[in-house]
Amino acid sequence: MGADEQLQHRLRALFAEELDDGLQLLGAGLLRLEQDAGKAPGADLVQELFRTAHSLKGAAHAASVPEAVEVCDRLESTFAAVRDGELHPDSALVTRLLGETDTLSALAAGLHEVAAAPADGPPTGGRSAGPEQPARAQPPHPEPAPAQPAPAQPAPAEPVSVPAQPAASLRVSADKLDAVLRRAGEGLVATRRLHEVADQAAHAAERVEAARSRLRAALRQERAGSVAHSLDTLLDDAARAVTTLARSVEVTDRALEHTSAGVAEAAQSLRTQPFADACGSLDRVVRDVATTTGKAARFELVGGDIDVDRGVIAALRDPLLHLVRNAVDHGLEQPAGRAAAGKSTTGTVSVVATLDGSMLHVTVRDDGAGIDARRLREAAERRGLAAPDDDMELAFVPGLSSRADVTAVSGRGVGLDAARARLEQLGGNLQVVSQPDVGTEVRLTTPVTLAVLRVLLVRTGGQTVAVPTASVDRVVQVERQALREVEGSVLLTLGDRSVRAVSLSGALGFGDQALDDGDLIGVIVPRGGDVVLVVDALLDEFEVAVEPVPARLAGAPGLLGVIVVQGDLPAVVVNPVAVGRTAAPLVLATASAAPTAAARILLAEDTVTTRALERSILEAAGYSVAVAVDGADAWEQLQADGADLVVSDVDMPRMSGIDLCRRIRSSTRLRELPVVLVTSLDTAADRQRGLEAGADAYVVKGEFQQGTLLDTIARLL
């Protein structure tokens, strides 16, 4: 690609970003214009719309996107006519102009796709946008004839330099920001280790001082005055040196902690966006759904200026879209029904965001008829579903709806279950509260940032597990006797209520808890949950950098990521609400049960984090585990020491898991050895290769859960 083409590529990428911002302004402004229908339009609003269209037209010229030039020119001409009193804005005009913005939205999507492709070649798929083959898109509804004659074709764009970015704005790669956040997180880890060094230096100074006192006393008793004086001087010097070192390390420790915290805070601020960015199209959604269903509705946003991690913003867009659409279609009544109930004929859907420490709370509220719990129960009975303690939990059952009819907008029971699953992937939660004839609230809770979390470290089932403190309401320690069995469940009394207790160890596949009466146990009370999680011990609390879950563990419910704890060992980060809801009833095993001989498993895995994590899972289940860094290493260990079963990755250096399996099957001594292949290669051909090589089981990404692997191993042993 030549220099001119590279410049054009960059210009279109910049225009795509500018178009996104402009579309938000246009969409919000047009809806305000429609709300004021029947009144003279505000001059400031119309001028802002005109200026936005004019600026986008100039940027489209510079980026050589002629179709965008045409659309922006039509918008500019229409806004000029409104400004000059030649046109009066009404609902039909706003509908037509929103159709124009839909065309621009489709163009923006195409431009982003082109910008994401390598600069020296076309994108791998989808449409492109440019002067030769501009992206074309039709509005989602018929477009009325324009109010004015179509403008003449714009003149060819003159060569221009790259548009300068505003001084207060900075566009940076998300990958670069992620790298900064990882480094900042590593700085926090280094600070924690320096704390330990500072403590060690302080203890060393105390030991030297104690040794000096003992030696001085001993030497004086022997009347070796000169020797005592020399040694005393030497020990004084050593004590002063160690004391000075301890003080220096302490000062450095405080400075590094302050610096690391500052770097982490600054890096996180680079990655934040206003919460309003997650709600950019919601006002339009409310308008369109209300128009489609014959209702009158308005949208309100509170807390749009709260800064939130861009990853959280991206993850919230779809759930908020589902919830707002359902609020209009399911929640709000028809105008006549609202009037009969003494309500305003125009319903209100609001999204309210607030901060509580490191947690973001978002409430999607409507003032409609509320959820009909009776119809939900009847729909559940027709499907043979057991009634939960809280009727609102039925709203999360896929395919279950309180509506008898199905519309093009909603009514198929889709949305709440997907929204809650998405929130739980972020380490958050979603709850529904509804009152008949008053309305419905859907309450979303999520961490403000995903890269650096404050976690509570616990011990459970012989393993270290991290729980985000933002997801925890409180933690307590109680004696084993405080748990009591009632009708198949284990309950713990907290204050004036009894709460069902579940085992975190059992939920994660680490086995049932082994506790004797009198043992102190840790209890985690999830924020917004209806159970408590029982663990063996509460260990520590600190901030950590969170790495993504390894690919082959991605299917395990409730896992948020992996962290590195003391000794460079990995620990999983779990969502206590998700784990608590899906966990089986608590079964308390006795600590004095007779141990059984542990089967020896050889684990072959070339990725350090995955190897350590899988080893911890297997050891927690009671197996003796030997590790190999690849297939060749595993083959050498098998010949020397043997094993009861092999768990192997497929794609490894020197010798793959497939080749390792073939070697085992061709060996007279080892041919009956069970082999489990655990891999992200999940095509039918890959499965066939593994089975043809003689693997006894093939566990793939998307199917993997700790229980799945452990059940497979137990079956083969």
Side-chain angles (χ1 to χ4, degrees), residues 34 56 58 92 121 147 156 169 172 217 271 301 305 307-308 319 366 476 492 502 514 558 599 606 626-627 671:
E34 184 179 48
L56 289 177
S169 176
V172 293
R271 205 186 143 78
L301 173 63
D305 57 345
D307 285 333
V308 182
D366 69 71
V476 295
L492 174 68
V502 299
D606 62 317
V627 296
R671 67 176 51 170

Side-chain angles (χ1 to χ4, degrees), residues 308-634:
V308 182
D309 184 288
R310 63 186 297 164
V312 175
I313 291 289
L316 286 177
R317 284 195 179 104
D318 279 348
L320 288 175
L321 182 66
H322 281 298
L323 296 174
V324 167
R325 181 184 289 119
N326 283 350
V328 180
D329 189 39
H330 281 258
L332 299 184
E333 313 95 326
Q334 294 290 338
R338 292 181 63 85
K343 298 180 179 180
S344 166
T345 56
T346 300
T348 300
V349 175
S350 62
V351 175
V352 180
T354 58
L355 278 180
D356 178 13
S358 60
M359 294 299 286
L360 174 70
H361 298 280
V362 181
T363 301
V364 179
R365 180 184 299 120
D366 69 71
D367 62 349
I371 296 176
D372 192 328
R374 178 182 58 82
R375 286 191 175 180
L376 275 178
R377 288 194 300 271
E378 291 173 351
E381 289 171 0
R382 287 194 295 270
R383 290 178 50 178
L385 300 177
D389 295 335
D390 182 2
D391 287 335
M392 287 301 105
E393 278 298 306
L394 292 172
F396 294 97
V397 177
L400 193 69
S401 175
S402 61
R403 293 185 63 146
D405 60 322
V406 175
T407 71
V409 179
S410 55
R412 299 183 185 274
V414 176
L416 279 179
D417 56 314
R420 181 157 74 176
R422 190 69 187 96
L423 265 292
E424 289 179 350
Q425 289 174 358
L426 301 177
N429 190 24
L430 185 150
Q431 293 177 296
V432 176
V433 177
S434 187
Q435 289 183 271
D437 300 323
V438 175
T440 300
E441 288 188 357
V442 182
R443 300 169 182 173
L444 300 80
T445 305
T446 178
V448 175
T449 181
L450 304 178
V452 178
L453 291 179
R454 189 164 190 84
V455 298
L456 171 69
L457 217 58
V458 302
R459 195 76 176 166
T460 184
Q463 298 298 304
T464 302
V465 175
V467 179
T469 57
S471 301
V472 176
D473 181 66
R474 56 188 164 130
V475 295
V476 295
Q477 281 195 303
V478 299
E479 289 192 347
R480 161 69 176 83
Q481 296 97 312
L483 299 173
R484 67 185 192 281
E485 294 189 23
V486 178
E487 297 181 351
S489 295
V490 176
L491 301 181
L492 174 68
T493 300
L494 288 175
D496 58 352
R497 66 190 186 110
S498 293
V499 186
R500 186 168 63 92
V502 299
S503 166
L504 180 58
S505 172
L508 297 177
F510 296 157
D512 296 325
Q513 293 184 258
L515 298 168
D516 281 332
D517 287 345
D519 283 347
L520 275 179
I521 57 175
V523 176
I524 300 172
V525 185
R527 191 186 297 268
D530 57 357
V531 301
V532 297
L533 300 175
V534 176
V535 300
D536 297 336
L538 309 171
L539 301 179
D540 203 350
E541 181 183 347
F542 44 71
E543 286 187 340
V544 292
V546 181
E547 296 291 336
V549 177
R552 67 195 53 180
L553 300 179
L559 294 191
L560 303 178
V562 179
I563 64 170
V564 176
V565 295
Q566 190 174 17
D568 295 330
L569 293 176
V572 293
V573 185
V574 301
N575 181 344
V577 178
V579 170
R581 195 180 65 254
T582 59
L586 176 65
V587 177
L588 294 176
T590 176
S592 57
T596 57
R600 185 175 190 272
I601 294 179
L602 178 61
L603 171 63
E605 168 60 59
D606 62 317
T607 304
V608 175
T609 301
T610 304
R611 184 169 64 239
L613 196 54
E614 290 183 353
R615 178 179 184 174
S616 68
I617 292 171
L618 295 172
E619 288 180 338
Y623 296 110
S624 171
V625 182
V627 296
V629 297
D630 56 29
D633 184 19

Side-chain angles (χ1 to χ4, degrees), residues 212 215-216 219 225-237:
R212 185 185 67 172
L215 280 171
R216 184 163 48 191
L219 290 171
S226 59
V227 176
H229 177 73
S230 298
L231 284 175
D232 191 46
T233 302
L234 178 63
L235 291 172
D236 278 341
D237 291 341

